[in-house]
Amino acid sequence: MQPRRPIGLAFALASSASFGLSGIFASALLAGGWSPGAVTTARIAGGALVLLVPTLWLLRGRWGAVLRSWREVLVLGLLAVALCQLAFFSAVAYIEPSLALLIEFLGPVLLVFFTWAVSRRAPAMLTLAGAGVALVGLALVSGVGGEALHPLGVLLALGAAVGNAGYWIAASKADSELPPIALAGLGLIVGAVVLVAASASGLLPFVATARPVVLAGATLPAWTVLLLLVLVATAAAYVLGILGARRLGATLASFVGYSEPMFGILWTAVLLWLLPSGMQWLGAAAIIAGVVLVKLGQVDRPRVSESPAIVEGIPSP
């Protein structure tokens, strides 16, 4: 294993663990009367504010690098943050959240085929097999059953999948001129502008309350839970994800990202004492097996740039 891979895997898993807490924090706010749009907008805008100062500090005297990296900033901000959030919460108005989550997490699979198209290099059969096994595991973990497939809901969820793939494309650019914190900060700023505009226009209903909320059996001020959502499940999660993706590459990092719902189940068990079902344990095992197959599919295959068609505008040779 390459020296950068263990560190990258640690960063990627830490990112998934951080993102996995977002559901618990967000659920507490939703139960307290917040709308999904308000939680999302406050989360992304708060993350942008938290990273603003370190971003400006890291970019002092390096604004030329920002101009040269405008594509990856827009891919992260518009696709990974704004489109993903808007499309997902629009989709759940028509289909079950578990199904919308499953479709959103098609992002890594889309990425495999996107890389195949732009590099003209077919993925290994183990990679394709790993994608299928991981998707089955995700379906089991998410608890997807026989929900009706509303066409508009599915289409919107596919938009979230494109945003999910965009995150890994922008995050994995190993030769980026932007430090991970700066890229995350700029991307969150772009995403926050779009989400605030969507909330102000009524496209994303915004309802927030100041009354206390309940988290893991404790009654806390809403701002405390929101702060945890912003610091842990947003700012830290995005930065750690970029650190991991730059070391693992987009494909492997995106499949490691399938551990996010697994961590969500783990945090639910630890904080809320809700134990996973046998089917969810089976799904977790399938996700791990899928990631292992994807990794084995990359053995002896030199890593190629997986994001140039969007980030640089030209395909890989």
Side-chain angles (χ1 to χ4, degrees):
M1 182 178 288
Q2 299 176 11
R4 289 164 59 90
R5 289 292 173 90
I7 299 175
L9 181 60
F11 280 134
L13 288 173
S15 174
S16 291
S18 299
F19 275 126
L21 282 165
S22 62
I24 293 177
F25 297 148
S27 295
L29 292 170
L30 292 172
W34 288 56
S35 67
V39 173
T40 301
T41 302
R43 172 192 181 189
I44 299 302
L49 287 174
V50 167
L51 294 180
L52 179 60
V53 171
T55 295
L56 293 176
W57 174 260
L58 289 168
L59 294 177
R60 65 194 189 284
R62 301 176 59 186
W63 294 106
V66 177
L67 294 176
R68 290 188 294 273
S69 304
W70 65 271
R71 289 184 182 87
E72 60 191 281
V73 172
L74 289 184
V75 168
L76 183 63
L78 295 181
L79 290 184
V81 178
L83 174 64
C84 194
Q85 299 290 334
L86 284 171
F88 178 82
F89 284 111
S90 298
V92 296
Y94 301 95
I95 58 178
E96 291 295 319
S98 58
L99 179 58
L101 179 67
L102 176 61
I103 297 174
E104 177 190 337
F105 271 76
L106 284 173
V109 179
L110 296 180
L111 186 58
V112 167
F113 288 101
F114 173 78
T115 303
W116 185 354
V118 300
S119 68
R120 301 180 183 86
R121 188 167 183 262
M125 290 304 298
L126 282 175
T127 298
L128 295 176
V133 172
L135 276 177
V136 171
L138 181 63
L140 295 175
V141 168
S142 301
V144 175
E147 294 92 347
L149 295 179
H150 191 290
L152 181 56
V154 172
L155 183 62
L156 288 167
L158 283 173
V162 171
N164 181 275
Y167 170 68
W168 301 111
I169 286 173
S172 65
K173 193 169 183 292
D175 59 349
S176 173
E177 295 185 68
L178 298 178
I181 291 177
L183 175 58
L186 292 172
L188 287 174
I189 289 171
V190 171
V193 169
V194 175
L195 292 173
V196 168
S199 296
S201 67
L203 178 63
L204 199 61
F206 190 101
V207 177
T209 70
R211 63 173 178 262
V213 300
V214 178
L215 177 66
T219 301
L220 300 170
W223 67 264
T224 302
V225 178
L226 179 61
L227 186 61
L228 289 171
L229 178 63
V230 166
L231 292 177
V232 178
T234 307
Y238 276 103
V239 172
L240 290 167
I242 294 171
L243 285 167
R246 287 186 178 179
R247 289 164 173 80
L248 296 178
T251 299
L252 181 56
S254 65
F255 281 96
V256 174
Y258 276 161
S259 62
E260 178 185 333
M262 293 166 51
F263 278 110
I265 292 172
L266 173 63
W267 295 132
T268 300
V270 171
L271 298 176
L272 305 181
W273 291 94
L274 296 175
L275 297 179
S277 65
M279 199 65 72
Q280 287 177 319
W281 282 117
L282 181 61
I287 289 174
I288 294 172
V291 172
V292 170
L293 288 173
V294 170
K295 176 65 180 72
L296 291 175
Q298 294 185 335
V299 173
D300 297 328
R301 284 188 168 222
R303 178 182 166 186
V304 295
S305 177
E306 298 171 292
S307 56
I310 288 180
V311 174
E312 294 296 342
I314 56 174
S316 299

